[in-house]
Amino acid sequence: MQRFMINVLDLTTSISRAMDMVSPVIMGHHQRVAYLSYALGRAMETSPERLALIVLSASLHDIGAMSLLDRKRALDFEEKNHHVHAEMGYNHLKDFPLFSSVANVVRYHHHPWNFYSDDNSDDTIPEAAHILHLADRIDVLVDYSRNLLEQADTIRATVLPMSGTVFSPLVIDAFHAQSIKESFWLELLSATQTDHAFRNIPEIHADWSLLNIVEFSWFMARLIDFRCSFTATHSSGVSAVAEWLANLVGFSQNECQMMMIAGFLHDIGKLGVPTELINKNGKLTDEEFNQVKPHAYLTRKILAPLKNLPGLVDWCSFHHERLDGSGYPYRLDSQQIPLGAKILAVADIFTALIEDRPYRKGLKITKALEIIQDQVKNGLLDHRVVSLLSEEAEMAKYVCLTSQKYAQTRYRDFFDALPECLQAPRYDA
Ligand SMILES: [Fe+2]
Ligand SMILES: [Fe+2]
Ligand SMILES: [Fe+2]
């Protein structure tokens, strides 16, 4: 059976980098918090294995902040509703085996040290969460447009008095000892420029089967799609139609499975696009479209650690390329676009046209096909793929809607199982 060796930290770093692309205000936050957590954990003489898990938690910690507004709120030192994105992050991570070990750390990364008792005798909150909590708050206190060394005293004066109430005394002691060193702050400044700011922690490798890749694609698609009820089932529809078309085109069984995975993963670069734009009720302005366009590029960046699946990565990141070279972001032409990406492009457009959007109901099949065939005439989409789709359009619709119906149930089940404060998000901009 085919196996895939994955460097987990590379993967989470690429996911968090994309998440931080959502705004210049947020850029580098996850990497810096990962460095700070590492530095504090190391000063507390945490074992290398536990340090690796702390870094992993830190590199995913704000994954539950779904919109740009949520992300900006997460950076507010005084914000009182931090538990919302932390709880959401926990609920995403706990169901995915690779990240379930860090779900609890993410869940409690904003809980005060004395949340459950004055002496913290209750150990519900893992120590790693206390480390992450302080690391996160230090990063939001820094003004990166100013000299860091000039701010060190003020930051120390802000957080040190919170020892034993908001922050763990052990973590504060570690910060107290480390923060007198200029190198602590200077390393923080360079944390976003180096891939391996962490010394002496073991690499985390996962030996994945194809099923694990499928689980990963579900996990990522859920992060993207569940940001709004209108997009909640998009990737599922694309995935099913793309797999079905791949089969008609004559792809092998293995390639068809990869196409199914590609459907789930193609838009993961949207982690770096503000949710408010994705769900805009109306046409995007040119300026807004320039904020959406990078998602195909970011998809490639996020998937880069899946080194032994180059075909899958190409299919996903080329799904907005067009045969005449007018697509984005690489402006490839027909010769350069692999057939898999051509199939994915057709599946993506077909699904988008027949599903409901915030600004319109799903189109009838005949209208959708008309639009797609026009794009073939204009030299944008592959003639053969569209012919196969057109010949069995009703079947394509059935395949798409059946998959989306199942995804809709998963969407409802996910939110029904959450506490009341985490309602299904609706961002109608
Ligand atoms: Fe957070
Ligand atoms: Fe954060
Ligand atoms: Fe896309």
Side-chain angles (χ1 to χ4, degrees), residues 8 19 34 36 78 117 129 149 160 198 217 221 224 258 260 264 298 318 349 351 372 413 421:
V8 179
M19 284 196 286
L36 286 164
E78 304 294 335
S117 64
L149 300 181
L160 294 183
F198 322 114
S217 72
I224 294 299
M258 281 298 163
M260 180 263 284
F264 281 113
L298 290 176
F318 299 157
I349 295 173
T351 305
I372 291 173
D413 288 350
C421 63

Side-chain angles (χ1 to χ4, degrees), residues 19 22-23 26 62-74 85 88 223 227 270-271 273-279 425-427:
M19 284 196 286
V22 83
S23 160
I26 284 153
D62 279 338
I63 205 160
M66 291 189 158
S67 66
L68 179 57
L69 189 66
D70 290 342
R71 287 301 310 275
K72 285 186 174 163
R73 273 193 193 136
H85 77 265
M88 184 63 85
L223 281 178
R227 297 199 290 181
K270 282 188 177 166
L271 275 181
V273 177
T275 305
E276 292 84 346
L277 281 188
I278 294 168
N279 304 317
R426 292 283 299 256
Y427 298 104

Side-chain angles (χ1 to χ4, degrees), residues 234 266-268 270 292 295-296 299 316 319-320 328 348:
H234 176 71
H266 74 287
D267 267 345
I268 62 172
K270 282 188 177 166
V292 173
H295 81 273
T299 288
C316 292
H319 75 276
H320 285 294
Y328 64 87
D348 187 28

Side-chain angles (χ1 to χ4, degrees), residues 29 61-62 136:
H29 175 66
H61 73 275
D62 279 338
D136 182 76

